[in-house]
Amino acid sequence: MWLRTSCELTFDIYVPTPFILMLRPRSGYHQWIAREEYKIKPSVPVYEFTDIYGNLCQRLVAPPGPFSVHTSADVMTADYIDRSPGAPFVEVQNLPDTVLSYLLPSRYCESEKFTDMASAITSGYQMGYDQVWAIETWLRASISYIPGSSEIPISAVEVNQRQSGVCRDLSHLGIALCRSLSIPARLVVGYLYELSPMDLHAWFEAYVGGRWYTFDATQTELTGGYVAIGYGRDAADVAVSNQFGPPVYPISQHIEVQLIEQEPD
Amino acid sequence: MWLRTSCELTFDIYVPTPFILMLRPRSGYHQWIAREEYKIKPSVPVYEFTDIYGNLCQRLVAPPGPFSVHTSADVMTADYIDRSPGAPFVEVQNLPDTVLSYLLPSRYCESEKFTDMASAITSGYQMGYDQVWAIETWLRASISYIPGSSEIPISAVEVNQRQSGVCRDLSHLGIALCRSLSIPARLVVGYLYELSPMDLHAWFEAYVGGRWYTFDATQTELTGGYVAIGYGRDAADVAVSNQFGPPVYPISQHIEVQLIEQEPD
Amino acid sequence: MWLRTSCELTFDIYVPTPFILMLRPRSGYHQWIAREEYKIKPSVPVYEFTDIYGNLCQRLVAPPGPFSVHTSADVMTADYIDRSPGAPFVEVQNLPDTVLSYLLPSRYCESEKFTDMASAITSGYQMGYDQVWAIETWLRASISYIPGSSEIPISAVEVNQRQSGVCRDLSHLGIALCRSLSIPARLVVGYLYELSPMDLHAWFEAYVGGRWYTFDATQTELTGGYVAIGYGRDAADVAVSNQFGPPVYPISQHIEVQLIEQEPD
Amino acid sequence: MWLRTSCELTFDIYVPTPFILMLRPRSGYHQWIAREEYKIKPSVPVYEFTDIYGNLCQRLVAPPGPFSVHTSADVMTADYIDRSPGAPFVEVQNLPDTVLSYLLPSRYCESEKFTDMASAITSGYQMGYDQVWAIETWLRASISYIPGSSEIPISAVEVNQRQSGVCRDLSHLGIALCRSLSIPARLVVGYLYELSPMDLHAWFEAYVGGRWYTFDATQTELTGGYVAIGYGRDAADVAVSNQFGPPVYPISQHIEVQLIEQEPD
C-alpha cells in the first residue's frame, strides 16, 4: 500500500541547542520512498551521516526561538505483515556477523535478567519464530498498552514491574525476552497506518529463520502499513530527536499517516 | 542557493534487465536535500543500499517494455565554490585512512603513467592546491571540452591522446594527474546550474589542505550551483545507471536544473 | 615500552557451546603488535570478524570437554599516559560522527540519571579534560576499588549505591558521569603492566580536545603500559569471552604481562 | 594443513618514504592465523587500518637507510580447494550488495572490452562455475605463465596481447573475462605452498553458487595450501607494499612457505 506520512515537531529553544535527528526513512527491502520532504524552520545548516545501525541521521544546531522540523514521505510498504510459524531458531554460530550486536543486553533491554522468565513464557513452543510469537502473545495479554502513559523510556525490568507501558516499553520487554533466548531482536521506530491514537510508533523485530520478522504487542492483529524510520538496539539508539545541553522538549508533535490510493504522479 | 533538479531517463527494455541506479543525492556537508521524488514506471520492487563510497544506490529489475525513471530534488547548495590558493599538500602519512583509496590508479585514471607530465604541468607551483589549480588551468587550455562527443568512458591516457572530451573525460585526466603527484582525487557526478547545454555533469575533487576542493576544467569560471549525486574513483564507480545483460541505452534523457527563489514551503 | 602479554582461559564444556571471543589486540595509533599467538585446544574451526566498534572478534563452537584458549602478544605501547589539563570540551555539533554513539546511555552506563551528580562533582572545573579529571579523582576518592569483588557486571547506578567495585565498575560510573555532561566516553578492556593483582583490566577513555584520553580511577598514579584489547560502550560490548546457551564459566584464567627489554628478534 | 609463511622485504631508502603495507593475513572463513610476527627495522611508529575491502593495512614512514619488513605466520588452511562444477550463475539482482563492486571494470581489468571473447571461450558451458572453469582452462592453455617476467602490473588487454605473463597477469585476464559475463571476480594476493619458484602469489576468486571459489590458471592442478593476504578488485588495490614519493623498490625479497606437521605448541 502507498502511505503518506507526516511528522511535525515544534520546539521552543532558549540557548543554541545541538540536535541529532533521525527522521529520514530509508528505502530498502521493506519499503520504497517515492517522495520525501524535510523542512527546517528557521533554515540552518544541516548535515547528514549514517550511524552504526545504518540509519540516516541529521545534525544541526537549533537557534534560540521557535524551531520546527517537518518531514513528509510517500512510501510503498507491505499490505500484510509476514507471519512464519515454524521458522527455525538460528544457532548463534550461524548468525550473520552484523546481527550479533542485537544479542547483547542494552540500556533498556537488560536481557541477562530474563532467562528464567523467557523460558517459562515459551515453554512447550518450538524454538524460533514460535517462541517469539509466544512472547508477543504473552505481552499482549500481560502488559497493558497505555498510549501516552510515559514520556521517558523505562527499561524492560521496570516495564515488567509496572505491567503497563507505551509501545516502546512493550517492545523493550519483548526484545529483552528474545535476547535472553539467544534470539537477536531490535527496536524499530516509525509510523503505523491507522494507529490509534495516531503518533510515532515503536515495535520490534526478531531474527529467526534467516531473516528479520516484525512483532508488535500493541496491536490485536498485525496488519500491514508499517513504515520504519530507524533501527537500533533500543530507544537509546533510535530517538527520532536527540538534544544536547539544557533539556528541550517538543512543544508540539503532530503525526499523520494517510492512505494514498495510487502511486503519486 | 536553492535549486530544483530533475532527471528523467527512458529505456526500451527487451529482456528483464537488472539495474543499479545512483540517482539519489545525499544530504551532507555540501548540500541539503529538502525535497525529493523518485518515480519508476512501471512500478517494480526497488531496494536501496549504500556502496563502498557512501553513495545511495537503487537495485531493481526492469521488465520488458518502456521503462522510465524520474527523480527530482530541491537542494540547498553553495552560491560560490571555495577556492583556496596556497592550501598545502597533505603528506601521504597524514591523510585520513578513508582518503587513501583515492590515491590509487583506477579503471579510467591510469595515474601511474602521468608522473612526468604532472611534474611538467605543475613545475614552479607550490605543492597542494596550487598544483591542482595548475592542472585545471592546463586542462582548460589544452583539452577541448566538447559536450556530447562521446558516450562511452575513455581513460585518461586516451583523453590525452585525443586532446578533447566530455566533462567526464577532462575530469579523468585531471584525476590521473593529481594522483600521480600523491594528491587524492575523485570523480563527482551530478548537476550544475546553468550548464550549457544542460545535461548530467561530472567534475573532480582533490584533497588538499585537509579537505576536498572542487575543480572543473569545463567551466571558464567556477560558480556555485553544484549538486553532487555520486562520488567514486572514476566513471566505473559512479554510473548513474548500470545495466547488466544485453546492452540497454536510454532512449531519452531529460535533465533540468532551475533556480527556486526561496525554500519551498 | 615493549610488553609480552598472555591470557589463558580454561573452560569445562558440557554441551557444544558457541563462543564469541575478543582476544586479539589490534595495532593502531596507540600500540603496535609485533608478535601474536592464538591457540585453541582442542583445535576447532574459528573465524574472525570485525564488530561495529572495530574490534576483531573470533567465533567458534567449543566441543564438550576441557576447552582452552591461550593468546599471547608482544606489544609496543606508550611509556607514559598523555595528560592534557585544559584540553577543551568539544561541542556536540563538532564531534566526529563516529564518536556520537559514545554519548548515548548504554546497558551499564545509565548516563541520563547522572546529570545532577556530574554537575556537582565537576563544579568549578573548566569544561573538557578538567571535568573528566575531576570525575576520575572523585571516583578514586569515593568508590572503593576492590579487585575480584564481583563477577557479573553491574551498572553505574548500582556501583554508585554500593560505593565499591572492580575496575569495570569504576569505569562504568566514570563513563556515565562523562556522558551526562555530553562528553563521549567508552570502556576499554585490556592489560596493564604491573597491575596488582594481575588480571585482565578495564579503564575508560573520554573524548576531549579532539581526541581520546585515558582515565583509570583504580590507579593512584597513571603510568604507561596499557594494552587495549577491545573498545565499546560498556562491558556488554567488550566481553573478552561471550558464551551462548547454558552458562559456562572459566574454570581458570591466567594473565601475565612481562616487560621485555627490547624488540624481540 | 598447517603452514608457516615468511616474507622479508628489504629496501634502500633515500628520502623519508611513506609506505602502506598489506602484509597481515586475516583470520576468517578460509584460514586461521595461530601465530604471527611483524618486524620492522629500524623500528618506527606504525599504525594499522582496515581498507574498503576489509584488508588490514599498515602505515609508516621509512627513514633513509636500509629498511626491512619481516612478517611470518602459522596458518591453518584447507588441504583441498573446493571445486563445484554446476554451481549456478547468480543473477545480478540476487548478488549480495557487498559483491557488486567486483562486477565493475577496474584499473587492470577492463572487463567492458571482453564481452565477445568471454562468450566465445565459455560457449556451450553452463552459466556459473562451469564458465569460470572454462576461463581458467583457456588461460592455462593459451597464456604462458612465465614467473618473474614482469615487475609492473599490466592490464588484461595487454596480457591478452602478449599471450604471457606472471600470476597476477593471468588473474587479471581471468577476472576481466568473468566480469564481462556479470560474474563477480576479485584478485587475491598471498602465499601458495610448494609454489615453484617460491614467491608471493596471486590468484582469483569468482562468485558463483552463492559463494567465492578459488581459481588459479598458473597451476596444472589445484591443490590446497593457499594463504590469502589481501583481496581487491585488482593489483592496484592489493599491493603488499605501496610507496609514495620518489620510486623505491625492494632490494631483496625473500619468501618461504613450510609445512608444519601439527599445530605449533
Side-chain angles (χ1 to χ4, degrees), chain A residues 2-7 23-26 31-38 70-76 191 227-229 256-258 260 264, chain B residues 24 36:
Chain A
W2 281 95
L3 298 174
R4 176 162 297 168
T5 64
S6 167
C7 170
L23 276 166
R24 181 158 266 165
R26 281 192 65 168
Q31 60 191 20
W32 171 249
I33 312 301
R35 191 192 60 81
E36 194 196 35
E37 284 188 27
Y38 206 117
H70 184 192
T71 62
S72 164
D74 291 349
V75 185
M76 172 67 188
Y191 303 95
V227 175
I229 299 176
E256 275 183 38
V257 181
Q258 295 168 262
I260 45 180
Chain B
R24 181 158 266 165
E36 194 198 33

Side-chain angles (χ1 to χ4, degrees), chain A residues 59 92 97 107 112 237, chain C residues 59 92 97 107 112 233:
Chain A
R59 302 175 66 172
V92 171
D97 298 341
R107 172 62 189 94
E112 82 284 4
D237 295 327
Chain C
R59 301 176 67 173
V92 170
D97 298 340
R107 172 63 189 93
E112 81 283 4
R233 288 207 249 167

Side-chain angles (χ1 to χ4, degrees), chain C residues 47-67:
Chain C
Y47 82 89
E48 195 162 79
F49 71 102
T50 303
D51 73 9
I52 49 175
Y53 304 102
N55 303 303
L56 294 175
C57 302
Q58 299 81 40
R59 301 176 67 173
L60 58 84
V61 180
F67 180 72

Side-chain angles (χ1 to χ4, degrees), chain A:
Chain A
M1 72 179 77
W2 281 95
L3 298 174
R4 176 162 297 168
T5 64
S6 167
C7 170
E8 181 153 24
L9 306 177
T10 315
F11 302 87
D12 211 354
I13 307 289
Y14 293 90
V15 298
T17 301
F19 274 70
I20 299 177
L21 299 165
M22 193 187 288
L23 276 166
R24 181 158 266 165
R26 281 192 65 168
S27 288
Y29 275 104
H30 300 297
Q31 60 191 20
W32 171 249
I33 312 301
R35 191 192 60 81
E36 194 196 35
E37 284 188 27
Y38 206 117
K39 294 181 199 164
I40 287 158
K41 302 233 155 146
S43 184
V44 291
V46 192
Y47 82 91
E48 196 161 79
F49 71 100
T50 302
D51 74 8
I52 49 175
Y53 303 102
N55 303 302
L56 293 175
C57 302
Q58 298 81 41
R59 302 175 66 172
L60 58 83
V61 180
F67 180 71
S68 75
V69 178
H70 184 192
T71 62
S72 164
D74 291 349
V75 185
M76 172 67 188
T77 189
D79 287 1
Y80 301 97
I81 283 301
D82 285 344
R83 288 293 199 182
S84 187
F89 175 74
V90 182
E91 308 248 2
V92 171
Q93 60 269 39
N94 298 325
L95 289 170
D97 298 341
T98 50
V99 162
L100 292 174
S101 65
Y102 296 108
L103 273 182
L104 302 174
S106 60
R107 172 62 189 94
Y108 298 114
C109 304
E110 312 97 326
S111 44
E112 82 284 4
K113 300 199 170 166
F114 286 92
T115 311
D116 292 346
M117 189 170 147
S119 298
I121 291 170
T122 64
S123 170
Y125 288 89
Q126 197 182 331
M127 284 176 74
Y129 192 94
D130 295 5
Q131 287 177 307
V132 189
W133 207 352
I135 289 168
E136 188 194 44
T137 306
W138 177 87
L139 284 169
R140 196 175 284 125
S142 314
I143 309 292
S144 308
Y145 166 50
I146 309 179
S149 60
S150 84
E151 280 301 311
I152 291 167
I154 56 173
S155 77
V157 165
E158 293 169 283
V159 176
N160 191 41
Q161 283 161 358
R162 291 195 194 174
Q163 301 279 303
S164 73
V166 299
C167 53
R168 181 184 55 214
D169 300 328
L170 274 69
S171 298
H172 281 158
L173 183 49
I175 291 166
L177 288 163
C178 288
R179 291 186 192 157
S180 75
L181 299 168
S182 296
I183 295 174
R186 64 183 181 184
L187 186 72
V188 193
V189 167
Y191 303 95
L192 172 59
Y193 176 57
E194 293 194 323
L195 180 67
S196 172
M198 181 48 66
D199 201 348
L200 287 169
H201 192 48
W203 59 95
F204 70 104
E205 293 184 348
Y207 192 92
V208 288
R211 48 162 284 201
W212 292 102
Y213 284 93
T214 295
F215 295 89
D216 184 349
T218 70
Q219 304 298 301
T220 323
E221 202 157 339
L222 261 65
T223 57
Y226 285 83
V227 175
I229 299 176
Y231 297 88
R233 288 207 248 168
D234 61 29
D237 295 327
V238 282
V240 296
S241 160
N242 252 323
Q243 296 87 250
F244 298 89
V248 172
Y249 297 103
I251 55 175
S252 84
Q253 174 171 322
H254 187 68
I255 310 295
E256 275 183 38
V257 181
Q258 295 168 262
L259 192 65
I260 45 180
E261 283 301 331
Q262 43 191 9
E263 181 168 10
D265 199 50

